[in-house]
Amino acid sequence: MPELVLIVLCVVGAFVLGMRQAPLWTWVLGFAAAMLIWQSGTLHGEPRALEPGWLGTAGWVLAAILAALCVPSIWRALLVRPLFQQVKRILPRVSETERAALDAGTIGFDAELFSGQPDWGKLRAVPPITLTEEEKAFLDGPTSELCRLVNDWTIRHNDKEIPQEIWDFVKQHGFLGMLISKQHGGLGFSPQAQSLILGRIASRSPDVCTIVMVPNSLGPGELIEKYGTPGQKEHYLPRLAQGLEVPCFSLTGPTSGSDAATMRDVGYVTRGMHEGKEVVGIRLSWEKRYITLGPNATLVGLAFRVFDPDNLLGKGEDRGITVALVPADHPGVEIGRRHLPSGAAFPNGPNWGRDVFIPIDWVIGGEAMVGQGWRMLMECLAAGRSISLPSSAAAGAKSLLRNTSAYARIRKQFDLPIGKMEGLEEPLARMVENAYVNEAARGVTASMVSRGEKPSVISAIMKYQTTERMRRSLNDAMDLHGGRGVCDGPANYLQSAYQMMPVAITVEGANILTRSLITFAQGALRSHPYLYKEIQACQDADDERGLAAFEQAFSDHVSFTVSNLSGALFHNLTGGWFGRVPDKAYGTAEWYRQLWRCSRSFALVADLAVAVLGGGLKTKQKITGRLADALSELYLLACVLKRYEDDGKPAGDRHIVGLCAHNGLWRFQQALRGAVDNFPSLPLRWLMRLAAFPLGARYKPAPDWLGHTCVELVLAPGEVRDRLTRYIYVSDNPNDPTGLLEVTFAKAVAAEAAEKKLDRAVRQGRVRRVHGTDWIGEAADQGVISDDEARLLREVEALTARVIAVDHFDPAELRPHYMTAGHNARAVQSAAAE
Ligand SMILES: Cc1cc2nc3c(=O)[nH]c(=O)nc-3n(C[C@H](O)[C@H](O)[C@H](O)COP(=O)(O)OP(=O)(O)OC[C@H]3O[C@@H](n4cnc5c(N)ncnc54)[C@H](O)[C@@H]3O)c2cc1C
């Protein structure tokens, strides 16, 4: 029995030392004390001389080794130096382009999650969604006006083109220069405002959103604003802001897609004639494809690799990736042909050129920035990726929810609104969750960017998670609408998003790559507290300086690992009960505790994965993909809690937060469990399982009753439904397909009581509901319903007939334009084939 007490004390002591990241000598002291107590007989009250035995001898040998390692010179000689040499040998060199990607952007709350001990203060310090008066007026003024002007069907079906009046409107109101500073003639709006404006437009037309998004995302405007020469800023920024120039940005080529840095587009520094004078410039050959706005562009941002064989610039031959501004009408620039991406109407196409001479001062930033292109792109990417696609994915999830829940309330089958059927409640509950989560993460991340962060890992999470969630919502919305969603026409408000969803999945880093490579494999290097420091130390050209830096980082890393191990085990054994909770977490304390607990488990598994897989992380993508999912769930749940608090914890949203938290924790567990179960090392698999799942996988998805409660909240008009779908464009025009839904939804709910009376009369056989009879009139005549109720029911019936109607066409109307115009399209597959 006394031995048992000693063992318990030792275990508790180990937990305390481990979790507090105590130095090694305290472990040695604790271990020696325990050995002495055990061997001296003190436990049984019979002090005696030490009797080692084989176990005792082994214990003292271990204590001696640990004690020796406490001496810095021994620690260095026996452990750190051999390890340093070994790591140096096996570590793959981080290439220049990888280093640029790693050094670009900022580390933010993602590092807190990687640390296993998130500082909630840092999350709460992110300001809530705020707009200036001017930004609010723009959102509710020109942005809503633009939405009213847009006819999505005409754009994507009839015109297959953005109408000139829309181009004129966006140029006239400065939509194309939202990110350009006021000083240079732009609107100078915050990323939060840009995000909300883009989202509102996206909720109306993905095509129109795209033509506004591209100039306000990574491209000429941002690059000139950040790196341009004074001359470039003065000339181009006001012209871009007013829409006098339409920009595009050309990075992708036929052989360089996801791996854009391997581009074969090349420029040789040489002398040539420009405007009648001989100047130093670059002779360029390139082939780009998929370039959005390309066919309409007047100014082409072009990325290519520069060589200076005659060393005219004096900095060696291979100068690296460079970005230049090339007017689209410059001789030799071939541009204007179009791709047809997923039925979209926004302009997109290839461009190319052979031996085109440009003066050196067309390089963004001038001669000094030759070779700096990749760094410039990476630095701008994190901010842009946090804003553009997450805005439209959040808006998409919200408008899909608003329209689909209205339809589910209006459309009846088996005498029941389809949204009230359990089978459809499931997808609707998922849509509620996606709308809440996407908007929460959008808002928090845009606020981070607004205060100057460029969160590289978080932007990757946002890109793939928000677009994947929107894709899920779209599929759910399509299922829920049945044939009404499948058949296209002016009345179909789902098709444009459905057709264009693959574009959002593919651009700005295709989702599979973003999930499995960027978020965790590269993210771990950025957000892990010690890993990048260790790698940098190993790559230091000065061996001794590298060793010293490595020793510091490695020592901290060891105690970090031990802390994660004990922390994860402790919090998983105690069900997260002791997880750290921030002040004033009324109603959310339990979720904070669980987040803390999960963060502990994630930190342990991530750390061991990084330590064991090392350079192999890039290829072990099933493991890194799952770890990316696990990290994403933690970030998204943190955003959910932050949104709920920022909104003042509205009572109506409590269940929605619960739904998001239950499902988020469950998905986190699935992802982490998957990574552990498939981890390539058996002993570590067991160790991870012991610490992260000592009592098995305990989280469960949200219970059915919770999904039901949340769906009830959106099947009725009210503040919860409005808050869930805030900031999107909501039409009240019954001649607009979504406006018709809004009007009908409100009336259908108002007519519910009368409807019930009528249904009862039909069931009792007092009224016959078949074609050719006026059942509402009959019911009124029989006194089942009042005249007012009859009027309302008739109105609802007429409106409902319009809501459920599906367009049909004369076959001649459906012939493609180019056929009726009497000529055929000629497809060409590459510039080389021209
Ligand atoms: C409509 C549209 C608009 C676009 N607009 C522009 C624009 O304005 N400017 C511009 O420069 N580019 C633009 N792009 C290009 C876009 O950025 C690329 O399509 C994208 O980078 C993917 O390249 P890819 O299509 O060649 O696919 P690939 O690179 O061939 O990828 C195919 C698949 O392999 C996966 N994959 C590739 N490498 C890895 C890896 N290491 N690990 C895991 N998975 C991997 C990808 O995730 C993807 O699923 C646009 C594309 C489209 C379709």
Side-chain angles (χ1 to χ4, degrees), residues 8 48 50 52 86 282 494 543 547 558-559 599 609 648 690 695 697 749 759 762 765 829:
V8 170
R48 56 174 190 253
L50 299 184
Q86 174 76 3
I282 302 173
L494 297 178
D543 229 32
L547 178 65
V558 171
S559 52
S599 170
L690 172 78
L695 304 175
V749 172
D759 283 349
V762 170
Q829 284 174 341

Side-chain angles (χ1 to χ4, degrees), residues 249 251-252 257-258 290-292 341 348 503 506-507 510 512-513 516 621:
F249 188 68
L251 176 65
T252 309
S258 301
Y290 305 143
I291 308 307
T292 303
N348 180 282
V503 176
T506 303
V507 298
I512 295 178
L513 165 97
S516 53
Q621 296 190 345

Side-chain angles (χ1 to χ4, degrees), residues 389-652:
L389 286 163
S391 318
S392 41
K398 289 184 287 183
S399 50
L400 285 165
L401 174 67
R402 189 163 183 108
N403 295 337
T404 305
S405 54
Y407 183 79
R409 179 67 190 73
I410 297 164
R411 172 69 170 165
K412 285 183 167 180
Q413 287 292 281
F414 303 98
D415 274 339
L416 205 63
I418 56 172
K420 306 249 174 190
M421 299 173 187
E422 283 208 1
L424 291 152
E425 217 172 69
E426 270 190 310
L428 272 173
R430 270 198 299 270
M431 293 180 75
V432 169
E433 187 188 336
N434 286 339
Y436 196 90
V437 172
N438 269 12
E439 170 58 17
R442 183 211 63 77
V444 174
T445 310
S447 289
M448 288 174 179
V449 180
S450 292
R451 66 172 189 175
E453 289 184 42
K454 296 176 199 151
S456 51
V457 176
I458 288 175
S459 69
I461 291 176
M462 290 298 293
K463 185 336 153 110
Y464 95 86
Q465 282 285 339
T466 58
T467 52
E468 287 299 339
R469 277 161 203 258
M470 182 182 164
R471 172 150 72 173
R472 240 171 285 154
S473 285
L474 252 175
N475 285 337
D476 285 335
M478 289 295 281
D479 290 354
L480 221 136
H481 279 78
R484 173 74 176 78
V486 174
C487 293
D488 204 1
N492 191 321
Y493 39 82
L494 297 178
Q495 275 290 323
S496 60
Y498 190 71
Q499 287 176 19
M500 281 179 58
M501 195 64 234
V503 176
I505 300 292
T506 303
V507 298
E508 293 200 8
N511 277 12
I512 295 178
L513 165 97
T514 305
R515 170 180 181 254
S516 53
L517 189 70
I518 298 176
T519 306
F520 186 82
Q522 290 181 5
L525 285 183
R526 290 288 289 158
S527 313
H528 188 285
Y530 306 109
L531 184 66
Y532 195 37
K533 289 183 195 154
E534 289 163 339
I535 291 176
Q536 281 174 318
C538 288
Q539 298 201 333
D540 197 324
D542 180 335
D543 229 32
E544 283 312 304
R545 192 177 53 199
L547 178 65
F550 182 80
E551 181 174 357
Q552 180 63 51
F554 174 71
S555 306
D556 292 346
H557 193 162
V558 171
S559 52
F560 174 68
T561 306
V562 175
S563 150
N564 285 336
L565 195 60
S566 36
L569 183 58
F570 174 77
H571 286 291
N572 284 310
L573 282 174
T574 51
W577 188 249
F578 297 99
R580 196 174 297 162
V581 174
D583 295 342
K584 300 192 184 134
Y586 317 116
T588 48
E590 176 56 11
W591 305 128
Y592 275 111
R593 274 191 212 108
Q594 295 307 327
L595 257 185
W596 178 274
R597 167 188 178 186
C598 293
S599 170
R600 275 301 213 180
S601 301
F602 174 77
L604 170 78
V605 176
D607 185 36
L608 292 179
V610 161
V612 172
L613 300 177
L617 270 181
K618 282 190 205 160
T619 53
K620 285 281 171 207
Q621 296 190 345
K622 289 185 210 159
I623 301 282
T624 54
R626 289 182 179 111
L627 288 175
D629 291 345
L631 176 65
S632 304
E633 293 298 344
L634 297 185
Y635 177 67
L636 297 176
L637 181 50
C639 291
V640 163
L641 299 183
K642 164 108 177 90
R643 168 186 173 169
Y644 182 52
E645 287 172 359
D646 287 349
D647 287 353
K649 300 188 183 172

